[in-house]
Amino acid sequence: MFLLYRTPSGMQLAQQQALRDVSLSIDEVFRSSDPLNLLQQAWEKGEASAEESTHLLAPVGSQEVWAAGVTYYRSRTARMEESEQAGGDRFYDLVYDAERPELFFKATARRIQNPGDPVGIRCDSTWNVPEPELTLAINREGQVFGATVGNDMSSRSIEGENPLYLPQAKVYSGSASLGPCLLVGSLPGPESEISLRISRGGEEAFRGTTTLSQLKRSYEELAGFLFRENDFPDGALLMTGTGIVPNHPFTLQADDIIRISISGIGTLENTVAMASDIPPSGQR
């Protein structure tokens, strides 16, 4: 098992408290038919890192990022509540039990925020929440080989107004973050905990936890539907849905701090900013 970190100066691999600098790219890992073996070879050729990088980049290269919805019962209930007035609640009830999962495009690599970068909330949404999600790393052959922590930011008032507004509620500046690393060689099991903490003005504004035992669909099932009649030559990342949804009327505010932790992977931390204040990706 390895933890793969992407830094401005290159890649670092961690294993059993040891850290090494390795010569490979994140795209090489996703394009490999055997990512674990590739990392083992890189580890053997690597050199001990002088220090742990304090600036981490999201573990994504040329990959598209997709997301699954309504994969936890809590998410089903929350989506039905937010869309009931618009008459869209029935759709979420149906997809929870359907054979085919809800999958949607979330972001290209350039739209993903790094650990420590701000994530955005829309000025035209009155109800904004983070969605903590285990995110699967899938190679070009459709094999799930690793996982990271994901934050699928969501404008719930927009999606609740009409389910057809989903792309606007989900895809905008600063709407996703990944990190702090990529776990390869061992995937989190059902007992693994996902926790969400939101701080505001130095005090805790929200705390929630769930476990992966509440995830309705298997990793392989979700990856299989994503790759069905589709191809990803650079592999893909797939957010698996959320089991933690803050109750209304809680909504994020600028300068809130979001911390999402998953057992065995680590903690992804981001501050909150207005989406319009987040610099374009080419200027970061």
Side-chain angles (χ1 to χ4, degrees):
M1 182 186 76
F2 292 100
L3 294 176
L4 178 63
Y5 294 89
R6 182 169 168 254
T7 79
S9 58
M11 306 294 289
Q12 293 183 325
L13 270 179
Q15 186 183 59
Q16 298 179 348
Q17 307 302 316
L19 186 67
R20 295 184 183 180
D21 295 323
V22 294
S23 298
L24 80 168
S25 70
I26 194 75
D27 282 345
E28 288 179 86
V29 178
F30 276 87
R31 292 169 183 160
S32 173
S33 60
D34 190 348
L36 181 58
N37 183 58
L38 178 69
L39 294 187
Q40 183 63 49
Q41 294 179 25
W43 174 264
E44 293 170 358
K45 298 176 182 177
E47 298 182 356
S49 301
E51 59 182 356
E52 184 176 346
S53 178
T54 57
H55 181 197
L56 297 176
L57 304 178
V60 60
S62 303
Q63 294 69 44
E64 294 177 2
V65 180
W66 287 66
V70 200
T71 53
Y72 290 78
Y73 189 81
R74 175 69 184 101
S75 178
R76 166 194 171 275
T77 303
R79 292 294 181 265
M80 290 179 68
E81 290 172 350
E82 75 183 20
S83 60
E84 183 176 8
Q85 190 170 5
D89 54 322
R90 178 66 173 153
F91 294 109
Y92 296 103
D93 187 28
L94 290 172
V95 78
Y96 180 76
D97 290 316
E99 177 186 359
R100 183 185 298 273
E102 177 195 10
L103 297 177
F104 57 90
F105 177 78
K106 179 64 181 181
T108 52
R110 73 175 185 84
R111 292 180 176 273
I112 298 297
Q113 298 296 94
N114 298 314
D117 284 352
V119 289
I121 52 176
R122 295 183 62 121
C123 66
D124 55 352
S125 173
T126 59
W127 190 6
N128 303 288
V129 297
E131 296 190 0
E133 307 190 16
L134 178 74
T135 302
L136 303 177
I138 310 170
N139 72 2
R140 64 192 303 170
E141 298 173 5
Q143 300 169 337
V144 179
F145 70 87
T148 188
V149 181
N151 181 358
D152 172 18
M153 295 288 287
S154 182
S155 303
R156 292 189 63 187
S157 61
I158 294 177
E159 183 180 356
E161 184 178 348
N162 190 317
L164 295 179
Y165 295 160
L166 176 70
Q168 297 175 73
K170 291 288 191 178
V171 183
Y172 57 88
S173 296
S175 64
S177 178
L178 294 171
C181 62
L182 192 63
L183 171 67
V184 179
S186 177
L187 295 173
E191 73 287 348
S192 297
E193 183 178 271
I194 302 177
S195 67
L196 168 64
R197 291 175 294 155
I198 303 173
S199 300
R200 180 174 297 162
E203 298 184 358
E204 185 173 276
F206 177 84
R207 175 188 290 267
T209 62
T210 190
T211 64
L212 286 168
S213 64
Q214 301 302 305
L215 180 63
K216 179 179 175 64
R217 301 179 187 268
S218 70
Y219 304 154
E220 292 74 16
E221 178 185 1
L222 291 171
F225 271 98
L226 179 63
F227 274 69
R228 182 180 293 189
E229 305 297 341
N230 210 340
D231 71 294
F232 297 89
D234 299 310
L237 287 145
L238 176 59
M239 295 179 169
T240 57
T242 187
I244 306 173
V245 182
N247 289 323
H248 190 268
F250 178 88
T251 187
L252 289 169
Q253 298 178 10
D255 298 323
D256 284 354
I257 300 174
I258 302 168
R259 296 181 180 91
I260 301 171
S261 301
I262 299 181
S263 305
I265 302 178
T267 299
L268 173 63
E269 180 175 319
N270 299 93
T271 55
V272 177
M274 300 306 298
S276 57
D277 293 333
I278 294 177
S281 57
Q283 299 177 17
R284 295 176 201 155

